[in-house]
Amino acid sequence: MSRASERAYAAIRAHLLSGQVKAGEQLTEDQLTQITGVSRTPVREAVRRLENELLLVRSDTKRLFVADWSRDDIEEMFTLRQMLECHAAERAARRMTPGQLAEMEAVNRELKAAIALPEPDVARFLDANRAFHDAIIAAAASPRLGQMLARLVEAPVVLRTARTYSPEDLRQSARDHDELIAAFAAGDPEWARAVMGSHLRRAFHTFARTVGPATDARDT
Amino acid sequence: MSRASERAYAAIRAHLLSGQVKAGEQLTEDQLTQITGVSRTPVREAVRRLENELLLVRSDTKRLFVADWSRDDIEEMFTLRQMLECHAAERAARRMTPGQLAEMEAVNRELKAAIALPEPDVARFLDANRAFHDAIIAAAASPRLGQMLARLVEAPVVLRTARTYSPEDLRQSARDHDELIAAFAAGDPEWARAVMGSHLRRAFHTFARTVGPATDARDT
DNA sequence: CGAGAGCGTTTTGTATACAATAACCAGCTT
DNA sequence: AAGCTGGTTATTGTATACAAAACGCTCTCG
């Protein structure tokens, strides 16, 4: 994307992440031009993108609001992500090249360094974690799958700012990544899928623990 | 969407569907303003949407081109659609209300009427078919799932215009729908998922038969 | 000949003015 | 008091002019 609209996107996103703005609150394009420092045209493009990522929503009369993710919305999102990312892991296990595998090992070393004592660096962990998952998606070589996952992964980022990860959560995550790498090295799609499934499902429960109980137990 | 950009979207889409334009061909925003009769601003919004639906693609330098769907792309799309729509069928089976079920039965009667002899009306069939699948997605009550499926289903519409359906294809489709309705009436998620899976996979092979052989057999 | 620099043309990106529509509020009617 | 109605303001949508970037061409230099 071009410079101004990219800047607008990043600025609005940062603004949403910063927590200065409440879920359900209305935003106007004028406010956003002030926040971003660019004119309405690129702001509108950025807003379209954020709408697509479901960070912003529109009322029936085109007013713009900060999206409000319920616990059920989040669970739904995790379920979809699991479905798609397991598929991606399976595809990746079939297609991964030695170079890609080496790259993933490097990323995972970085991830482990980030959580090393004495002081785990959560932001650095999250960056490495994201790079790891992106590498899998890249190896899956499925543009539509990648696009969909990108949208799913974007949204919860908003919520994770206030989240606390225990050192054990971080270490378990690193172990999952080790096992995923082993599955890729073995070229075993079923293994990769299974590890990814438990990895994400556990992540959901870790996440959910801090949010509250489900309101509806019917669903998968 | 607003009037002008909606009109632009529909006009560009129709233009792509009409076959007057080849895959891979470049389009400029100016051309599109002429085709649509609106200014560049709403054209650009429509283009963003079509990019998102992967009917248009951008070069690395922001030039706009008609997307070129390879056989592998189409297979990938069907695979994703199957994954998501099976999930939707499963959810729908858990949640369907009597009113929704009656609605689906009505839609399926319309579908059967459309393919009745002497002269099956394929356009009418396609409309009813779409309504049927939309009803399932609605019953699944998962906004993100619905949004993703909408994008997946959009694209192949482009290609199916020239497609020929045998009367037997149409009848088998109607039978699948009958069985889906039975699964929903029974409230059996596994049954619904299984029927949807075979329904879509058969649709893929019907589709693929007219397109040509796969270039890569590694994938699911 | 071929590679690359310079320059006019084409195409996309941004700002801004104006138009259309939705929300708001006051005052009226019943 | 509840609900409509007219006008006023706030907000979004569209057109257009200008800026920036990419393309294609020619000309030059090695």
Side-chain angles (χ1 to χ4, degrees):
Chain A
M1 246 177 167
S2 49
R3 209 172 112 268
S5 45
E6 188 65 38
R7 225 155 57 84
Y9 171 80
I12 295 170
R13 189 160 206 291
H15 188 242
L16 295 175
L17 286 167
S18 75
Q20 296 173 33
V21 65
K22 296 181 288 290
E25 186 172 327
Q26 180 171 1
L27 295 173
T28 67
E29 293 174 356
D30 260 331
Q31 286 173 254
L32 296 177
T33 58
Q34 293 180 344
I35 290 169
T36 60
V38 302
S39 79
R40 276 180 59 215
T41 309
V43 161
R44 283 169 65 88
E45 282 201 13
V47 162
R48 283 303 194 302
R49 193 167 153 196
L50 290 161
E51 275 182 81
N52 229 320
E53 291 168 1
L54 297 170
L55 284 157
L56 297 176
V57 294
R58 252 173 220 286
S59 74
D60 48 358
T61 61
K62 314 301 171 62
R63 257 70 179 167
L64 201 62
F65 299 88
V66 180
D68 184 13
W69 284 63
S70 73
R71 147 84 197 217
D72 285 350
D73 290 333
I74 293 166
E75 171 144 12
E76 181 209 343
M77 187 278 301
F78 265 101
T79 301
L80 292 174
R81 182 179 169 191
Q82 184 178 343
M83 188 159 46
L84 294 173
E85 202 154 345
C86 283
H87 180 69
E90 196 180 316
R91 276 180 72 105
R94 286 199 172 84
R95 292 155 195 273
M96 181 135 332
T97 65
Q100 288 171 325
L101 192 60
E103 172 64 20
M104 294 193 64
E105 284 166 346
V107 169
N108 206 34
R109 273 194 299 277
E110 159 66 12
L111 184 143
K112 285 175 179 170
I115 65 177
L117 300 175
E119 195 58 36
D121 182 341
V122 174
R124 201 170 144 209
F125 166 83
L126 289 172
D127 283 346
N129 186 57
R130 178 159 193 158
F132 189 87
H133 285 268
D134 284 349
I136 293 175
I137 291 164
S142 173
R144 274 150 288 278
L145 183 57
Q147 199 180 323
M148 290 184 163
L149 274 168
R151 296 207 309 173
L152 285 176
V153 173
E154 279 306 306
V157 170
V158 179
L159 299 157
R160 81 181 174 193
T161 47
R163 188 123 293 101
T164 65
Y165 294 92
S166 77
E168 177 51 25
D169 289 340
L170 301 178
R171 280 196 297 274
Q172 178 61 49
S173 196
R175 281 196 294 272
D176 286 346
H177 288 195
D178 281 339
E179 189 170 354
L180 274 168
I181 287 174
F184 291 141
D188 185 335
E190 280 304 322
W191 189 9
R193 160 185 286 276
V195 176
M196 182 60 86
S198 61
H199 179 59
L200 290 176
R201 201 64 193 167
R202 177 170 349 90
F204 164 60
H205 284 288
T206 301
F207 194 98
R209 209 187 313 127
T210 70
V211 173
T215 61
D216 180 350
R218 280 183 303 173
D219 196 28
T220 51
Chain B
M1 248 176 167
S2 51
R3 214 171 105 266
S5 44
E6 188 64 39
R7 226 157 55 85
Y9 171 79
I12 296 170
R13 189 162 206 291
H15 188 242
L16 296 175
L17 286 167
S18 75
Q20 296 171 34
V21 64
K22 296 182 286 291
E25 185 171 326
Q26 181 171 3
L27 295 172
T28 68
E29 292 175 356
D30 260 331
Q31 287 174 253
L32 296 177
T33 58
Q34 294 180 342
I35 291 169
T36 60
V38 301
S39 81
R40 275 180 60 215
T41 308
V43 161
R44 281 169 67 88
E45 282 201 13
V47 163
R48 282 306 195 303
R49 194 166 152 196
L50 290 160
E51 275 182 81
N52 228 320
E53 292 168 0
L54 298 170
L55 285 160
L56 297 176
V57 294
R58 248 174 225 284
S59 75
D60 48 358
T61 61
K62 311 301 171 64
R63 256 70 177 165
L64 200 62
F65 299 89
V66 180
D68 185 12
W69 284 63
S70 72
R71 147 85 197 216
D72 286 350
D73 291 332
I74 293 166
E75 172 146 11
E76 180 209 344
M77 188 277 301
F78 266 99
T79 300
L80 291 173
R81 183 179 169 190
Q82 183 178 344
M83 187 160 45
L84 294 173
E85 204 155 345
C86 283
H87 180 68
E90 196 179 315
R91 277 180 71 105
R94 286 197 171 83
R95 293 155 194 272
M96 181 137 330
T97 64
Q100 289 171 324
L101 192 61
E103 172 64 20
M104 294 193 64
E105 285 166 347
V107 168
N108 206 33
R109 274 195 297 277
E110 159 65 12
L111 185 144
K112 285 176 179 170
I115 65 175
L117 300 176
E119 196 59 35
D121 181 342
V122 174
R124 204 172 142 208
F125 165 84
L126 289 172
D127 283 347
N129 185 58
R130 179 158 192 160
F132 189 88
H133 286 267
D134 284 349
I136 293 174
I137 292 164
S142 173
R144 276 152 285 279
L145 182 58
Q147 200 181 322
M148 289 183 163
L149 273 168
R151 294 207 311 177
L152 285 177
V153 172
E154 278 306 305
V157 169
V158 179
L159 299 157
R160 80 181 175 194
T161 46
R163 188 122 295 102
T164 63
Y165 293 92
S166 77
E168 177 51 24
D169 289 338
L170 302 178
R171 280 195 297 274
Q172 179 60 50
S173 196
R175 281 196 294 273
D176 286 346
H177 288 196
D178 281 339
E179 190 170 354
L180 275 168
I181 287 173
F184 292 141
D188 185 334
E190 280 304 321
W191 189 9
R193 160 184 285 278
V195 176
M196 182 60 87
S198 61
H199 178 59
L200 290 177
R201 201 64 192 168
R202 177 168 349 93
F204 165 60
H205 283 289
T206 301
F207 194 98
R209 210 188 310 129
T210 70
V211 172
T215 61
D216 181 351
R218 279 183 302 173
D219 197 26
T220 50

Tab-separated table of all heavy atoms in Angstrom, chain A residues 111-125 165-168 170-171:
chain	number	residue	atom	x	y	z
A	111	LEU	N	12.902	-17.092	19.224
A	111	LEU	CA	11.773	-17.161	20.163
A	111	LEU	C	12.249	-17.652	21.527
A	111	LEU	O	11.882	-17.113	22.574
A	111	LEU	CB	10.697	-18.077	19.582
A	111	LEU	CG	9.383	-18.231	20.362
A	111	LEU	CD1	8.217	-18.332	19.391
A	111	LEU	CD2	9.417	-19.444	21.267
A	112	LYS	N	13.104	-18.676	21.506
A	112	LYS	CA	13.587	-19.205	22.783
A	112	LYS	C	14.476	-18.194	23.506
A	112	LYS	O	14.435	-18.079	24.736
A	112	LYS	CB	14.370	-20.497	22.541
A	112	LYS	CG	13.464	-21.684	22.223
A	112	LYS	CD	14.294	-22.901	21.870
A	112	LYS	CE	13.415	-24.103	21.581
A	112	LYS	NZ	14.201	-25.218	21.019
A	113	ALA	N	15.262	-17.476	22.704
A	113	ALA	CA	16.102	-16.447	23.314
A	113	ALA	C	15.231	-15.396	23.998
A	113	ALA	O	15.568	-14.892	25.074
A	113	ALA	CB	16.991	-15.800	22.252
A	114	ALA	N	14.100	-15.087	23.392
A	114	ALA	CA	13.234	-14.040	23.927
A	114	ALA	C	12.645	-14.430	25.275
A	114	ALA	O	12.384	-13.570	26.116
A	114	ALA	CB	12.109	-13.734	22.931
A	115	ILE	N	12.435	-15.717	25.476
A	115	ILE	CA	11.800	-16.113	26.734
A	115	ILE	C	12.822	-16.624	27.752
A	115	ILE	O	12.456	-17.117	28.820
A	115	ILE	CB	10.716	-17.189	26.502
A	115	ILE	CG1	11.344	-18.482	25.977
A	115	ILE	CG2	9.654	-16.668	25.557
A	115	ILE	CD1	10.330	-19.598	25.813
A	116	ALA	N	14.093	-16.486	27.383
A	116	ALA	CA	15.118	-16.963	28.313
A	116	ALA	C	15.136	-16.101	29.569
A	116	ALA	O	14.828	-14.910	29.523
A	116	ALA	CB	16.486	-16.944	27.636
A	117	LEU	N	15.517	-16.694	30.650
A	117	LEU	CA	15.654	-15.939	31.896
A	117	LEU	C	16.803	-14.959	31.783
A	117	LEU	O	17.632	-15.108	30.894
A	117	LEU	CB	15.902	-16.923	33.048
A	117	LEU	CG	14.762	-17.924	33.235
A	117	LEU	CD1	15.111	-18.938	34.310
A	117	LEU	CD2	13.469	-17.190	33.576
A	118	PRO	N	16.905	-13.951	32.645
A	118	PRO	CA	16.044	-13.789	33.807
A	118	PRO	C	14.687	-13.157	33.482
A	118	PRO	O	13.728	-13.382	34.215
A	118	PRO	CB	16.851	-12.822	34.696
A	118	PRO	CG	17.651	-12.025	33.736
A	118	PRO	CD	17.946	-12.923	32.576
A	119	GLU	N	14.635	-12.372	32.406
A	119	GLU	CA	13.418	-11.581	32.190
A	119	GLU	C	12.836	-11.902	30.812
A	119	GLU	O	13.314	-11.377	29.807
A	119	GLU	CB	13.768	-10.093	32.270
A	119	GLU	CG	12.574	-9.183	32.426
A	119	GLU	CD	11.775	-9.525	33.677
A	119	GLU	OE1	12.396	-9.905	34.698
A	119	GLU	OE2	10.534	-9.405	33.632
A	120	PRO	N	11.811	-12.745	30.705
A	120	PRO	CA	11.218	-13.026	29.395
A	120	PRO	C	10.707	-11.738	28.746
A	120	PRO	O	10.077	-10.918	29.420
A	120	PRO	CB	10.045	-13.960	29.728
A	120	PRO	CG	10.369	-14.541	31.057
A	120	PRO	CD	11.166	-13.498	31.782
A	121	ASP	N	11.016	-11.581	27.478
A	121	ASP	CA	10.589	-10.395	26.731
A	121	ASP	C	9.371	-10.771	25.897
A	121	ASP	O	9.486	-11.339	24.819
A	121	ASP	CB	11.751	-9.934	25.840
A	121	ASP	CG	11.408	-8.678	25.057
A	121	ASP	OD1	10.196	-8.373	24.913
A	121	ASP	OD2	12.340	-8.005	24.606
A	122	VAL	N	8.190	-10.453	26.412
A	122	VAL	CA	6.953	-10.940	25.792
A	122	VAL	C	6.749	-10.361	24.396
A	122	VAL	O	6.338	-11.059	23.472
A	122	VAL	CB	5.734	-10.652	26.689
A	122	VAL	CG1	4.449	-11.038	25.972
A	122	VAL	CG2	5.845	-11.428	27.993
A	123	ALA	N	7.059	-9.086	24.228
A	123	ALA	CA	6.873	-8.473	22.915
A	123	ALA	C	7.738	-9.181	21.876
A	123	ALA	O	7.286	-9.485	20.762
A	123	ALA	CB	7.233	-6.985	22.980
A	124	ARG	N	8.980	-9.459	22.270
A	124	ARG	CA	9.893	-10.143	21.360
A	124	ARG	C	9.393	-11.566	21.080
A	124	ARG	O	9.446	-12.047	19.945
A	124	ARG	CB	11.280	-10.192	22.015
A	124	ARG	CG	12.421	-10.393	21.048
A	124	ARG	CD	13.749	-10.181	21.777
A	124	ARG	NE	14.770	-11.089	21.278
A	124	ARG	CZ	15.784	-11.554	21.999
A	124	ARG	NH1	15.905	-11.192	23.283
A	124	ARG	NH2	16.668	-12.374	21.470
A	125	PHE	N	8.874	-12.202	22.120
A	125	PHE	CA	8.273	-13.525	21.933
A	125	PHE	C	7.139	-13.464	20.920
A	125	PHE	O	7.064	-14.280	19.994
A	125	PHE	CB	7.739	-14.060	23.268
A	125	PHE	CG	6.813	-15.236	23.125
A	125	PHE	CD1	7.308	-16.520	22.979
A	125	PHE	CD2	5.427	-15.046	23.099
A	125	PHE	CE1	6.456	-17.605	22.830
A	125	PHE	CE2	4.568	-16.125	22.951
A	125	PHE	CZ	5.078	-17.404	22.806
A	165	TYR	N	1.180	-13.684	30.129
A	165	TYR	CA	1.586	-15.048	29.835
A	165	TYR	C	2.487	-15.531	30.968
A	165	TYR	O	3.434	-14.848	31.352
A	165	TYR	CB	2.361	-15.106	28.524
A	165	TYR	CG	1.521	-14.764	27.321
A	165	TYR	CD1	1.435	-13.466	26.847
A	165	TYR	CD2	0.798	-15.765	26.661
A	165	TYR	CE1	0.647	-13.155	25.754
A	165	TYR	CE2	0.022	-15.469	25.566
A	165	TYR	CZ	-0.050	-14.157	25.112
A	165	TYR	OH	-0.820	-13.856	24.026
A	166	SER	N	2.205	-16.700	31.438
A	166	SER	CA	3.091	-17.274	32.446
A	166	SER	C	4.335	-17.815	31.751
A	166	SER	O	4.284	-18.175	30.577
A	166	SER	CB	2.384	-18.405	33.182
A	166	SER	OG	2.354	-19.566	32.363
A	167	PRO	N	5.454	-17.874	32.454
A	167	PRO	CA	6.671	-18.446	31.862
A	167	PRO	C	6.414	-19.857	31.339
A	167	PRO	O	6.943	-20.246	30.290
A	167	PRO	CB	7.641	-18.454	33.042
A	167	PRO	CG	7.186	-17.343	33.918
A	167	PRO	CD	5.690	-17.308	33.789
A	168	GLU	N	5.584	-20.601	32.027
A	168	GLU	CA	5.309	-21.960	31.578
A	168	GLU	C	4.546	-21.955	30.250
A	168	GLU	O	4.812	-22.767	29.357
A	168	GLU	CB	4.524	-22.720	32.651
A	168	GLU	CG	4.106	-24.133	32.261
A	168	GLU	CD	5.270	-24.971	31.733
A	168	GLU	OE1	6.446	-24.693	32.069
A	168	GLU	OE2	4.998	-25.911	30.958
A	170	LEU	N	4.845	-19.802	27.930
A	170	LEU	CA	5.812	-19.469	26.886
A	170	LEU	C	6.680	-20.677	26.552
A	170	LEU	O	6.940	-20.971	25.391
A	170	LEU	CB	6.683	-18.294	27.346
A	170	LEU	CG	5.918	-17.009	27.688
A	170	LEU	CD1	6.891	-15.933	28.177
A	170	LEU	CD2	5.129	-16.488	26.501
A	171	ARG	N	7.104	-21.382	27.592
A	171	ARG	CA	7.973	-22.544	27.348
A	171	ARG	C	7.215	-23.642	26.611
A	171	ARG	O	7.741	-24.292	25.703
A	171	ARG	CB	8.519	-23.069	28.674
A	171	ARG	CG	9.706	-22.252	29.196
A	171	ARG	CD	10.458	-22.994	30.283
A	171	ARG	NE	9.614	-23.230	31.460
A	171	ARG	CZ	9.457	-22.348	32.459
A	171	ARG	NH1	10.094	-21.179	32.422
A	171	ARG	NH2	8.684	-22.623	33.483
